[in-house]
Structures are given as structure tokens and as C-alpha cells.
Amino acid sequence: QVQLMQSGGGSVQVGGSLRLTCVASGNTYRRNCMGWLRQAPGKKPEGVASIDSDGASTFADSVQGRFLISRVNDENTLTLEMNDLKPEDTAMYYCAAELSRSSFCRWYLVPDFGRRGQGTQVTVSS
């Protein structure tokens, strides 16, 4: 199983950009579906984006066109580029991993993935 360590995040004004990075340990990384989820105070976790081992990605409607997810299998890294940030993007963000087939690698399934990073806060102020 993979272990996940996150970095990045922070505070930004509306319209700004941030990058989140997740580094995985373990030799099964490239077989994992990877993704990002977020949780705002008082709300349930919600999936944001997913990417399978071949680089095919899916996004929640709320972030489509603003967020980009990418991975480099040889470096065991996962990145979330967040652009045109809005106050409603404010949340704790987690990277997540799950050994699964590509057909199950979907953004809305990410909250159920078995492995998560430690979380990083993203705050967008107006």
C-alpha cells in the first residue's frame, strides 16, 4: 500500500492560484487510481478530481475548467493545480489513493479511497 505526504496550499485571494503536491511511497503507486477530495467545515467530504494510471482524469463540475490534476509515475508524485479560485473552494484538501480499475477511477469515488494524505488547508478570501 502507498503512504501519502502532501505539501502546498495556503491562503490566496479570489481569482488566485495554488498548487498542491502529493508524494507517495510504496512500489504500487503506478497501479493506483489517485485523486483529491476536500472537506469544508460542517460539510461532508467531496471528491474533486481523479486520475488513473494512464493519465485519464475526471473532475467535479464545480472545478471543471479551473483545476488540473496530473501525475508522474516515475516520481510517485501527484499534483493539483488550482486556478481562478473562489471562496467556495476553501476547505481542507486531501490526496487519496486506491488500487482500482480505470473504470472505477472517478472523482465522485475519491472520498471512499482507502489511503489519504495528512491534509492541507486552502483558504480563498474575497
Side-chain angles (χ1 to χ4, degrees):
Q1 288 185 329
V2 295
Q3 303 294 324
L4 304 173
M5 182 63 69
Q6 298 178 222
S7 61
S11 297
V12 68
Q13 292 189 325
V14 169
S17 298
L18 287 172
R19 174 186 294 179
L20 305 181
T21 300
C22 180
V23 179
S25 62
N27 56 11
T28 63
Y29 172 76
R30 61 178 64 242
R31 292 161 49 198
N32 276 264
C33 173
M34 302 295 298
W36 294 91
L37 66 132
R38 64 188 182 187
Q39 186 170 19
K43 294 188 177 181
K44 294 181 180 180
E46 61 171 348
V48 173
S50 69
I51 185 166
D52 71 12
S53 57
D54 293 325
S57 57
T58 70
F59 296 90
D61 289 346
S62 59
V63 305
Q64 180 77 49
R66 299 188 297 122
F67 289 14
L68 294 173
I69 187 171
S70 61
R71 66 189 291 171
V72 180
N73 288 336
D74 289 345
E75 298 177 358
N76 283 15
T77 58
L78 174 74
T79 301
L80 185 69
E81 298 275 358
M82 303 181 291
N83 301 302
D84 190 22
L85 283 160
K86 303 176 181 182
E88 51 265 41
D89 295 318
T90 295
M92 186 71 78
Y93 283 71
Y94 300 86
C95 62
E98 181 76 22
L99 275 172
S100 69
R101 292 179 292 179
S102 294
S103 56
F104 293 105
C105 192
R106 298 291 184 267
W107 64 268
Y108 50 85
L109 297 175
V110 175
D112 296 326
F113 285 8
R115 311 296 295 179
R116 287 188 185 181
Q118 80 277 19
T120 185
Q121 180 67 36
V122 170
T123 302
V124 185
S125 58
S126 57

